[in-house]
Amino acid sequence: MGWHSAQVSRALTDMSAAVDPKRRSALRGAHRRRAASRTAGDTGDLKYQHSTTASARLTNVSVDPLERSYRISRMGWAA
């Protein structure tokens, strides 16, 4: 997508460089919130809604959030 944020890159670098587990954990929480906020603010217009519909005559219908599989082999006819 070509999106880049220096702030998010710095946060990832800081987290991976932390040696002390307590420090790494503290950074992870703070940076995760900051990175999520930053990406949501920068890419807010890229919202996507995944919708599906299925007959009540089918069982085991599920949605793959990454859209890699329709999981047809798991579906079956309802009794």
Coordinates of all heavy atoms in Angstrom, one line a residue:
M1 N 0.8 -1.2 0.0 CA 0.0 0.0 0.0 C 0.9 1.3 0.0 O 0.4 2.3 -0.2 CB -0.9 0.0 1.2 CG -2.0 -1.1 1.1 SD -3.2 -1.2 2.5 CE -2.8 0.1 3.6
G2 N 2.1 1.1 0.3 CA 3.0 2.3 0.3 C 2.9 3.2 1.5 O 3.5 4.3 1.5
W3 N 2.2 2.8 2.5 CA 2.1 3.6 3.8 C 3.4 3.4 4.6 O 3.9 2.3 4.7 CB 0.9 3.1 4.5 CG 0.7 3.9 5.8 CD1 0.1 5.1 6.0 CD2 1.1 3.5 7.1 NE1 0.1 5.5 7.3 CE2 0.7 4.5 8.0 CE3 1.8 2.4 7.6 CZ2 1.0 4.5 9.4 CZ3 2.0 2.3 9.0 CH2 1.6 3.4 9.8
H4 N 3.8 4.5 5.2 CA 5.0 4.5 6.0 C 4.8 5.5 7.1 O 4.3 6.6 6.9 CB 6.3 4.8 5.2 CG 7.5 4.9 6.1 ND1 8.1 3.8 6.6 CD2 8.2 6.0 6.6 CE1 9.1 4.2 7.4 NE2 9.2 5.5 7.4
S5 N 5.3 5.2 8.3 CA 5.3 6.1 9.4 C 6.6 6.0 10.2 O 6.9 5.0 10.7 CB 4.1 5.8 10.4 OG 4.2 6.5 11.6
A6 N 7.3 7.1 10.3 CA 8.6 7.1 11.0 C 8.3 6.8 12.5 O 9.1 6.2 13.1 CB 9.3 8.5 10.8
Q7 N 7.2 7.3 13.0 CA 6.8 7.1 14.4 C 6.6 5.6 14.7 O 7.1 5.1 15.7 CB 5.6 7.9 14.8 CG 5.2 7.8 16.2 CD 3.9 8.6 16.5 OE1 3.2 9.0 15.6 NE2 3.6 8.8 17.8
V8 N 5.9 4.9 13.8 CA 5.7 3.5 14.0 C 7.0 2.7 13.9 O 7.3 1.8 14.6 CB 4.6 3.0 13.1 CG1 4.5 1.5 13.1 CG2 3.3 3.6 13.4
S9 N 7.8 3.1 12.9 CA 9.1 2.5 12.7 C 10.0 2.6 13.9 O 10.7 1.6 14.4 CB 9.8 3.0 11.5 OG 9.1 2.7 10.3
R10 N 10.0 3.8 14.5 CA 10.8 4.0 15.7 C 10.3 3.2 16.9 O 11.1 2.6 17.7 CB 10.8 5.5 16.1 CG 11.9 6.3 15.4 CD 12.0 7.7 16.1 NE 10.7 8.4 16.2 CZ 10.2 9.2 15.2 NH1 10.7 9.3 14.1 NH2 9.0 9.8 15.5
A11 N 9.0 3.1 17.0 CA 8.4 2.3 18.1 C 8.8 0.8 17.9 O 9.2 0.2 18.9 CB 6.9 2.4 18.1
L12 N 8.7 0.3 16.7 CA 9.1 -1.1 16.5 C 10.6 -1.3 16.8 O 11.0 -2.4 17.4 CB 8.8 -1.5 15.1 CG 7.3 -1.6 14.7 CD1 7.1 -1.8 13.2 CD2 6.6 -2.6 15.6
T13 N 11.4 -0.4 16.4 CA 12.9 -0.5 16.7 C 13.1 -0.5 18.2 O 13.9 -1.3 18.7 CB 13.6 0.7 16.0 OG1 13.4 0.6 14.6 CG2 15.1 0.6 16.3
D14 N 12.5 0.4 18.9 CA 12.6 0.5 20.4 C 12.2 -0.8 21.0 O 12.9 -1.3 21.9 CB 11.8 1.6 21.0 CG 12.3 3.0 20.6 OD1 13.4 3.1 20.1 OD2 11.5 4.0 20.9
M15 N 11.1 -1.4 20.6 CA 10.6 -2.6 21.3 C 11.6 -3.8 21.0 O 11.9 -4.5 21.9 CB 9.2 -3.0 20.7 CG 8.2 -2.1 21.3 SD 6.5 -2.7 20.9 CE 6.4 -2.5 19.2
S16 N 12.1 -3.9 19.8 CA 13.0 -5.0 19.4 C 14.4 -4.8 20.1 O 15.1 -5.8 20.3 CB 13.1 -5.1 17.9 OG 13.7 -4.0 17.4
A17 N 14.8 -3.6 20.4 CA 16.1 -3.4 21.0 C 16.1 -3.5 22.5 O 17.1 -3.7 23.1 CB 16.6 -1.9 20.7
A18 N 14.9 -3.5 23.1 CA 14.8 -3.6 24.6 C 15.2 -5.1 25.0 O 14.7 -6.0 24.5 CB 13.4 -3.3 25.1
V19 N 16.2 -5.1 26.0 CA 16.7 -6.4 26.4 C 16.0 -6.9 27.7 O 15.6 -8.0 27.8 CB 18.2 -6.3 26.7 CG1 18.7 -7.7 27.2 CG2 19.0 -6.0 25.4
D20 N 15.7 -5.9 28.6 CA 15.0 -6.2 29.8 C 13.6 -6.6 29.6 O 12.8 -5.8 29.0 CB 15.1 -5.0 30.8 CG 14.4 -5.3 32.1 OD1 14.6 -6.4 32.7 OD2 13.7 -4.3 32.5
P21 N 13.1 -7.8 30.0 CA 11.7 -8.2 29.7 C 10.7 -7.2 30.3 O 9.7 -6.9 29.6 CB 11.6 -9.5 30.5 CG 13.0 -10.0 30.6 CD 13.8 -8.8 30.7
K22 N 10.9 -6.6 31.5 CA 10.0 -5.6 32.0 C 9.9 -4.4 31.1 O 8.8 -3.8 30.9 CB 10.3 -5.3 33.5 CG 10.1 -6.4 34.4 CD 10.4 -6.0 35.8 CE 10.2 -7.1 36.8 NZ 10.5 -6.8 38.1
R23 N 11.1 -3.9 30.7 CA 11.1 -2.7 29.8 C 10.4 -3.0 28.5 O 9.7 -2.2 28.0 CB 12.6 -2.3 29.6 CG 12.8 -1.3 28.6 CD 12.8 0.1 29.2 NE 13.2 1.1 28.3 CZ 12.4 2.1 28.0 NH1 11.3 2.4 28.6 NH2 12.8 3.0 27.1
R24 N 10.7 -4.2 28.0 CA 10.1 -4.6 26.7 C 8.6 -4.6 26.8 O 7.9 -4.2 25.9 CB 10.6 -5.9 26.2 CG 10.1 -6.3 24.8 CD 10.7 -7.6 24.4 NE 12.1 -7.7 24.5 CZ 12.7 -8.8 25.0 NH1 12.0 -9.8 25.5 NH2 14.0 -8.8 25.1
S25 N 8.1 -5.2 27.9 CA 6.7 -5.3 28.1 C 6.0 -3.9 28.2 O 5.0 -3.6 27.7 CB 6.4 -6.1 29.4 OG 5.0 -6.2 29.6
A26 N 6.7 -3.0 29.0 CA 6.2 -1.6 29.1 C 6.2 -0.9 27.8 O 5.2 -0.2 27.4 CB 7.0 -0.8 30.1
L27 N 7.2 -1.0 27.0 CA 7.3 -0.4 25.7 C 6.2 -1.0 24.8 O 5.6 -0.3 24.0 CB 8.7 -0.6 25.1 CG 9.8 0.2 25.6 CD1 11.1 -0.2 25.0 CD2 9.6 1.7 25.3
R28 N 6.0 -2.3 24.9 CA 5.1 -3.0 24.0 C 3.7 -2.4 24.2 O 3.0 -2.1 23.2 CB 5.1 -4.5 24.3 CG 4.2 -5.2 23.3 CD 4.2 -6.7 23.5 NE 5.6 -7.2 23.4 CZ 6.1 -8.1 24.3 NH1 5.4 -8.5 25.4 NH2 7.3 -8.5 24.2
G29 N 3.3 -2.2 25.4 CA 1.9 -1.7 25.7 C 1.8 -0.2 25.2 O 0.8 0.1 24.5
A30 N 2.7 0.6 25.5 CA 2.7 2.0 25.1 C 2.8 2.2 23.6 O 2.0 2.9 23.0 CB 3.8 2.8 25.8
H31 N 3.7 1.5 23.0 CA 3.9 1.6 21.6 C 2.8 1.0 20.8 O 2.5 1.4 19.7 CB 5.3 1.0 21.1 CG 6.4 1.8 21.6 ND1 6.4 3.2 21.6 CD2 7.7 1.5 21.9 CE1 7.6 3.7 22.0 NE2 8.4 2.6 22.2
R32 N 2.2 -0.1 21.3 CA 1.1 -0.8 20.6 C -0.1 0.2 20.5 O -0.6 0.4 19.4 CB 0.7 -2.0 21.3 CG -0.4 -2.8 20.6 CD -0.8 -4.0 21.3 NE 0.3 -5.0 21.3 CZ 0.5 -5.9 22.3 NH1 -0.3 -5.9 23.3 NH2 1.5 -6.7 22.2
R33 N -0.4 0.9 21.6 CA -1.5 1.9 21.5 C -1.1 3.0 20.6 O -2.0 3.5 19.8 CB -1.7 2.4 22.9 CG -2.4 1.4 23.8 CD -2.8 2.0 25.2 NE -1.7 2.4 26.0 CZ -1.0 1.6 26.7 NH1 -1.2 0.4 26.8 NH2 0.1 2.1 27.4
R34 N 0.1 3.5 20.7 CA 0.5 4.6 19.8 C 0.5 4.2 18.3 O 0.0 5.0 17.5 CB 1.9 5.1 20.2 CG 2.2 6.5 19.7 CD 3.5 7.0 20.3 NE 3.5 7.0 21.8 CZ 4.4 6.5 22.6 NH1 5.5 5.9 22.1 NH2 4.3 6.6 23.9
A35 N 1.0 3.0 18.0 CA 1.0 2.6 16.6 C -0.4 2.3 16.1 O -0.7 2.7 15.0 CB 1.8 1.3 16.5
A36 N -1.2 1.8 16.9 CA -2.6 1.5 16.5 C -3.3 2.9 16.2 O -4.1 3.0 15.2 CB -3.4 0.7 17.5
S37 N -3.1 3.8 17.1 CA -3.7 5.1 16.9 C -3.2 5.8 15.7 O -4.0 6.4 14.9 CB -3.4 6.0 18.1 OG -3.9 7.3 17.9
R38 N -1.9 5.7 15.4 CA -1.3 6.3 14.3 C -1.8 5.7 13.0 O -2.2 6.4 12.0 CB 0.2 6.2 14.4 CG 1.0 6.8 13.2 CD 0.9 8.3 13.3 NE 1.6 8.8 12.1 CZ 1.8 10.0 11.9 NH1 1.4 10.9 12.8 NH2 2.3 10.5 10.8
T39 N -1.8 4.4 12.9 CA -2.3 3.7 11.7 C -3.8 4.0 11.4 O -4.2 4.2 10.3 CB -2.0 2.2 11.7 OG1 -2.6 1.6 12.9 CG2 -0.5 1.9 11.6
A40 N -4.6 4.0 12.5 CA -6.0 4.3 12.3 C -6.2 5.7 11.8 O -7.0 6.0 11.0 CB -6.7 4.1 13.6
G41 N -5.4 6.6 12.4 CA -5.5 8.0 11.9 C -5.1 8.2 10.5 O -5.7 9.0 9.7
D42 N -4.0 7.6 10.1 CA -3.4 7.7 8.8 C -4.2 6.9 7.7 O -4.2 7.3 6.5 CB -2.0 7.3 8.7 CG -1.1 8.2 9.4 OD1 -1.5 9.3 9.8 OD2 0.1 7.9 9.5
T43 N -4.8 5.8 8.1 CA -5.4 5.0 7.1 C -6.9 4.8 7.4 O -7.5 3.9 7.0 CB -4.8 3.6 7.1 OG1 -5.0 3.0 8.4 CG2 -3.3 3.6 6.7
G44 N -7.5 5.8 8.1 CA -8.9 5.7 8.4 C -9.9 5.5 7.3 O -10.9 5.0 7.4
D45 N -9.5 6.0 6.1 CA -10.4 5.9 5.0 C -10.3 4.6 4.3 O -10.9 4.3 3.3 CB -10.1 7.0 4.0 CG -8.7 7.0 3.5 OD1 -7.8 6.4 4.2 OD2 -8.4 7.6 2.4
L46 N -9.5 3.6 4.8 CA -9.3 2.3 4.2 C -10.2 1.3 4.8 O -9.8 0.1 4.8 CB -7.8 1.9 4.2 CG -6.9 2.8 3.4 CD1 -5.5 2.3 3.6 CD2 -7.2 2.8 2.0
K47 N -11.3 1.6 5.4 CA -12.1 0.7 6.1 C -12.7 -0.3 5.1 O -13.0 0.0 4.0 CB -13.2 1.4 6.8 CG -12.7 2.3 7.9 CD -13.8 3.0 8.6 CE -13.1 3.9 9.7 NZ -13.9 5.1 10.0
Y48 N -12.9 -1.5 5.6 CA -13.4 -2.6 4.7 C -14.4 -3.4 5.5 O -14.1 -3.7 6.7 CB -12.2 -3.4 4.2 CG -12.7 -4.6 3.4 CD1 -13.1 -4.4 2.1 CD2 -12.8 -5.9 3.9 CE1 -13.5 -5.5 1.3 CE2 -13.2 -6.9 3.2 CZ -13.6 -6.7 1.9 OH -14.0 -7.8 1.1
Q49 N -15.5 -3.7 4.9 CA -16.5 -4.5 5.6 C -16.6 -5.8 4.8 O -16.8 -5.8 3.6 CB -17.8 -3.8 5.6 CG -18.9 -4.6 6.4 CD -20.2 -3.9 6.5 OE1 -20.2 -2.7 6.2 NE2 -21.2 -4.5 6.9
H50 N -16.5 -6.9 5.6 CA -16.6 -8.2 5.0 C -18.0 -8.8 5.3 O -18.3 -8.9 6.4 CB -15.5 -9.2 5.5 CG -15.4 -10.5 4.9 ND1 -14.6 -10.7 3.8 CD2 -16.1 -11.6 5.0 CE1 -14.7 -11.9 3.4 NE2 -15.6 -12.5 4.1
S51 N -18.7 -9.1 4.2 CA -20.1 -9.6 4.4 C -20.3 -10.9 3.7 O -19.6 -11.2 2.7 CB -21.1 -8.6 3.9 OG -21.0 -7.3 4.5
T52 N -21.1 -11.7 4.3 CA -21.5 -13.0 3.7 C -22.9 -13.4 4.0 O -23.5 -12.8 5.0 CB -20.5 -14.1 4.1 OG1 -20.7 -15.2 3.3 CG2 -20.7 -14.5 5.5
T53 N -23.5 -14.2 3.3 CA -24.8 -14.7 3.6 C -24.8 -16.2 3.3 O -24.1 -16.7 2.4 CB -25.9 -14.0 2.8 OG1 -27.2 -14.4 3.2 CG2 -25.7 -14.2 1.3
A54 N -25.6 -17.0 4.0 CA -25.7 -18.4 3.7 C -27.1 -18.9 4.1 O -27.8 -18.3 4.9 CB -24.7 -19.1 4.6
S55 N -27.5 -19.9 3.4 CA -28.8 -20.5 3.7 C -28.8 -21.3 5.0 O -27.8 -21.8 5.4 CB -29.1 -21.5 2.5 OG -30.3 -22.3 2.8
A56 N -30.0 -21.3 5.6 CA -30.1 -22.1 6.9 C -30.1 -23.6 6.6 O -29.9 -24.4 7.5 CB -31.5 -21.7 7.5
R57 N -30.1 -23.9 5.3 CA -30.0 -25.3 4.9 C -28.5 -25.8 4.9 O -28.3 -27.0 4.7 CB -30.6 -25.6 3.5 CG -32.1 -25.3 3.6 CD -32.8 -25.6 2.2 NE -32.3 -24.6 1.3 CZ -32.6 -24.6 0.0 NH1 -33.3 -25.6 -0.5 NH2 -32.1 -23.7 -0.8
L58 N -27.6 -24.9 5.2 CA -26.2 -25.3 5.2 C -25.7 -25.3 6.7 O -26.1 -24.5 7.5 CB -25.3 -24.3 4.5 CG -25.5 -24.3 3.0 CD1 -24.7 -23.1 2.3 CD2 -25.0 -25.6 2.3
T59 N -24.7 -26.2 7.0 CA -24.0 -26.2 8.3 C -22.6 -25.8 8.1 O -22.0 -26.0 7.0 CB -24.2 -27.6 8.9 OG1 -23.5 -28.5 8.1 CG2 -25.6 -27.9 9.2
N60 N -22.0 -25.4 9.2 CA -20.5 -25.1 9.3 C -20.1 -24.1 8.3 O -19.0 -24.1 7.7 CB -19.7 -26.4 9.1 CG -19.9 -27.4 10.2 OD1 -20.1 -27.1 11.3 ND2 -20.0 -28.7 9.8
V61 N -20.9 -23.1 8.1 CA -20.5 -21.9 7.2 C -19.7 -21.0 8.1 O -20.1 -20.6 9.2 CB -21.7 -21.2 6.7 CG1 -21.3 -20.0 5.9 CG2 -22.5 -22.2 5.8
S62 N -18.5 -20.6 7.6 CA -17.7 -19.6 8.4 C -17.0 -18.7 7.4 O -16.9 -19.0 6.2 CB -16.7 -20.3 9.2 OG -15.8 -21.1 8.4
V63 N -16.6 -17.5 7.9 CA -16.0 -16.5 7.1 C -14.5 -16.5 7.4 O -14.1 -16.4 8.6 CB -16.6 -15.1 7.3 CG1 -15.9 -14.1 6.5 CG2 -18.1 -15.2 7.0
D64 N -13.7 -16.5 6.4 CA -12.2 -16.3 6.6 C -11.9 -14.8 6.5 O -12.1 -14.2 5.5 CB -11.5 -17.1 5.5 CG -10.0 -16.9 5.5 OD1 -9.5 -16.2 6.4 OD2 -9.3 -17.3 4.5
P65 N -11.5 -14.2 7.6 CA -11.3 -12.8 7.6 C -10.2 -12.3 6.6 O -10.2 -11.2 6.2 CB -10.9 -12.4 9.0 CG -10.4 -13.7 9.6 CD -11.2 -14.8 8.9
L66 N -9.3 -13.2 6.2 CA -8.3 -12.9 5.3 C -8.7 -13.2 3.8 O -7.9 -13.0 2.9 CB -7.0 -13.6 5.6 CG -6.4 -13.3 7.0 CD1 -5.2 -14.1 7.3 CD2 -6.1 -11.8 7.1
E67 N -9.9 -13.7 3.7 CA -10.4 -14.1 2.4 C -9.5 -15.0 1.6 O -9.3 -14.9 0.4 CB -10.7 -12.8 1.5 CG -11.8 -11.9 2.2 CD -12.1 -10.7 1.3 OE1 -11.2 -10.3 0.6 OE2 -13.2 -10.2 1.4
R68 N -9.0 -16.0 2.2 CA -8.1 -16.9 1.5 C -8.8 -18.2 1.2 O -8.3 -19.0 0.4 CB -6.8 -17.2 2.4 CG -6.1 -15.9 2.7 CD -4.9 -16.2 3.5 NE -3.8 -16.4 2.6 CZ -2.6 -16.9 3.1 NH1 -2.5 -17.3 4.3 NH2 -1.7 -17.2 2.2
S69 N -9.9 -18.5 1.9 CA -10.6 -19.7 1.7 C -12.1 -19.5 2.0 O -12.5 -18.8 2.9 CB -10.1 -20.8 2.7 OG -10.9 -21.9 2.7
Y70 N -12.9 -20.2 1.2 CA -14.4 -20.2 1.5 C -14.7 -21.4 2.4 O -15.9 -21.6 2.8 CB -15.2 -20.3 0.2 CG -15.1 -19.0 -0.5 CD1 -14.3 -18.8 -1.6 CD2 -15.9 -17.9 -0.1 CE1 -14.2 -17.6 -2.3 CE2 -15.8 -16.7 -0.8 CZ -15.0 -16.6 -1.9 OH -14.9 -15.4 -2.6
R71 N -13.8 -22.3 2.7 CA -13.9 -23.4 3.6 C -15.1 -24.3 3.1 O -15.8 -24.8 3.9 CB -14.1 -23.0 5.0 CG -12.9 -22.1 5.5 CD -13.2 -21.6 6.9 NE -12.0 -20.8 7.3 CZ -12.1 -19.8 8.2 NH1 -13.2 -19.5 8.7 NH2 -11.0 -19.2 8.5
I72 N -15.2 -24.5 1.8 CA -16.3 -25.3 1.3 C -16.2 -26.7 1.8 O -17.3 -27.3 2.0 CB -16.3 -25.2 -0.3 CG1 -16.6 -23.8 -0.7 CG2 -17.2 -26.2 -0.9 CD1 -16.4 -23.5 -2.2
S73 N -15.1 -27.3 1.9 CA -14.9 -28.7 2.3 C -15.5 -28.9 3.7 O -15.8 -30.0 4.1 CB -13.5 -29.1 2.3 OG -12.7 -28.4 3.2
R74 N -15.7 -27.9 4.5 CA -16.2 -28.0 5.9 C -17.7 -27.9 5.9 O -18.4 -28.3 6.9 CB -15.6 -27.0 6.8 CG -14.2 -27.1 7.0 CD -13.7 -26.0 8.0 NE -12.3 -26.0 8.1 CZ -11.6 -25.1 8.7 NH1 -12.2 -24.1 9.4 NH2 -10.3 -25.1 8.8
M75 N -18.3 -27.3 4.8 CA -19.8 -27.1 4.8 C -20.5 -28.4 4.5 O -19.9 -29.3 4.0 CB -20.1 -26.1 3.7 CG -19.7 -24.7 3.9 SD -20.3 -23.7 2.6 CE -19.1 -22.3 2.7
G76 N -21.7 -28.4 5.0 CA -22.6 -29.6 4.7 C -24.0 -29.2 4.7 O -24.4 -28.0 5.0
W77 N -24.9 -30.1 4.3 CA -26.3 -29.9 4.2 C -26.9 -30.1 5.6 O -26.5 -31.1 6.3 CB -27.0 -30.8 3.2 CG -26.6 -30.4 1.8 CD1 -25.8 -31.2 1.0 CD2 -26.9 -29.3 1.1 NE1 -25.6 -30.6 -0.2 CE2 -26.3 -29.4 -0.2 CE3 -27.7 -28.2 1.3 CZ2 -26.4 -28.5 -1.2 CZ3 -27.8 -27.2 0.3 CH2 -27.2 -27.4 -0.9
A78 N -27.8 -29.2 6.1 CA -28.4 -29.4 7.3 C -29.4 -30.6 7.2 O -30.0 -30.8 6.2 CB -29.1 -28.1 7.7
A79 N -29.6 -31.2 8.4 CA -30.6 -32.4 8.4 C -32.0 -31.9 8.4 O -32.4 -30.9 8.8 CB -30.3 -33.2 9.6

